[in-house]
Amino acid sequence: MISHIDRDIIALGGDFIPERSDWVSLFYDSGHKVTSDDGSQFAYRAITTRGEFLWFVFSKGKSRGYHSEATCPFAAFEEARTALDQRRRIKTRWDEVRRVARALRQRRMRFDILIEDAHSSPLCPMGTRHFLRSVGLPGITRLSGFKLAWLMLLEPQLGFVIHQAALREGVLPDTASAAAISPIPMPEQRPSKVLAPAP
């Protein structure tokens, strides 16, 4: 943990810029910037207010950065690129994700969300940890889909996690390997799948 005095020193240091995005509060070093070989990405060395080191990666055309815990900036570039490509694929079927979330909130569909679903989603692990800590759920490994679907109204990006859980449950077909993904209409009623009783 960084003390309040240390935070003030960092903030007044000139090169260190405070930033909060995707539930992560950090300081990034504007004087320690690395650019990818093709010039499409750049990363700043950064530290969170909890003392975690990371690379704060920006991709061309994107205003929000990706939090990578890779030690090498070029590994961080690849991690951010993979996450961005995965997000784009999932976004093509976002209407389906919203329908699944609505069905979970209305208890017409039931399944649990596992921490592995978050890890296989395009959300950065650091952002996931900080979000769970912010909502009072640090260290949790399983949560009812009902709860996460309601949390999605607070943080829409949780739809990426619901998407991964829906793939695992077979609620949505896995079309990630297809060259193009066409939205598949979901029936209004489906048999419920229960891993654990929802609260």
Side-chain angles (χ1 to χ4, degrees), residues 16-86:
F16 289 90
I17 301 173
E19 176 73 24
R20 179 174 172 81
S21 66
D22 296 328
W23 303 89
V24 179
S25 295
L26 56 82
F27 293 94
Y28 68 91
D29 183 357
S30 62
H32 191 166
K33 177 181 177 181
V34 179
T35 303
S36 64
D37 292 336
D38 62 1
S40 66
Q41 295 171 293
F42 57 91
Y44 295 106
R45 198 60 171 142
I47 185 171
T48 71
T49 54
R50 299 185 64 85
E52 304 159 301
F53 289 101
L54 69 146
W55 288 100
F56 196 26
V57 183
F58 289 88
S59 298
K60 194 172 183 179
K62 296 294 178 181
S63 59
R64 298 171 72 170
Y66 180 87
H67 308 98
S68 173
E69 296 174 82
T71 56
C72 168
F74 293 94
F77 291 144
E78 184 58 35
E79 186 181 324
R81 187 180 298 112
T82 298
L84 182 58
D85 290 345
Q86 188 180 358

Side-chain angles (χ1 to χ4, degrees), residues 13 27 30 42 49 66 74 93-94 120 129 142 144 158 172 181 188:
F27 293 94
S30 62
F42 57 91
T49 54
Y66 180 87
F74 293 94
R93 59 192 318 193
W94 201 246
S120 61
R129 289 198 311 273
R142 178 185 293 258
S144 71
L158 291 176
L172 289 176
I181 301 175
E188 284 301 313

Side-chain angles (χ1 to χ4, degrees), residues 143-183:
L143 187 68
S144 71
F146 174 80
K147 285 184 177 178
L148 198 76
W150 279 105
L151 286 172
M152 182 182 166
L153 298 180
L154 172 67
E155 175 49 81
Q157 292 190 94
L158 291 176
F160 292 118
V161 182
I162 290 175
H163 172 267
Q164 295 305 115
L167 291 182
R168 176 177 52 77
E169 285 290 312
V171 172
L172 289 176
D174 186 358
T175 55
S177 59
I181 301 175
S182 301

Side-chain angles (χ1 to χ4, degrees), residues 180-192:
I181 301 175
S182 301
I184 300 171
M186 290 177 54
E188 284 301 313
Q189 299 289 337
R190 294 185 64 103
S192 295

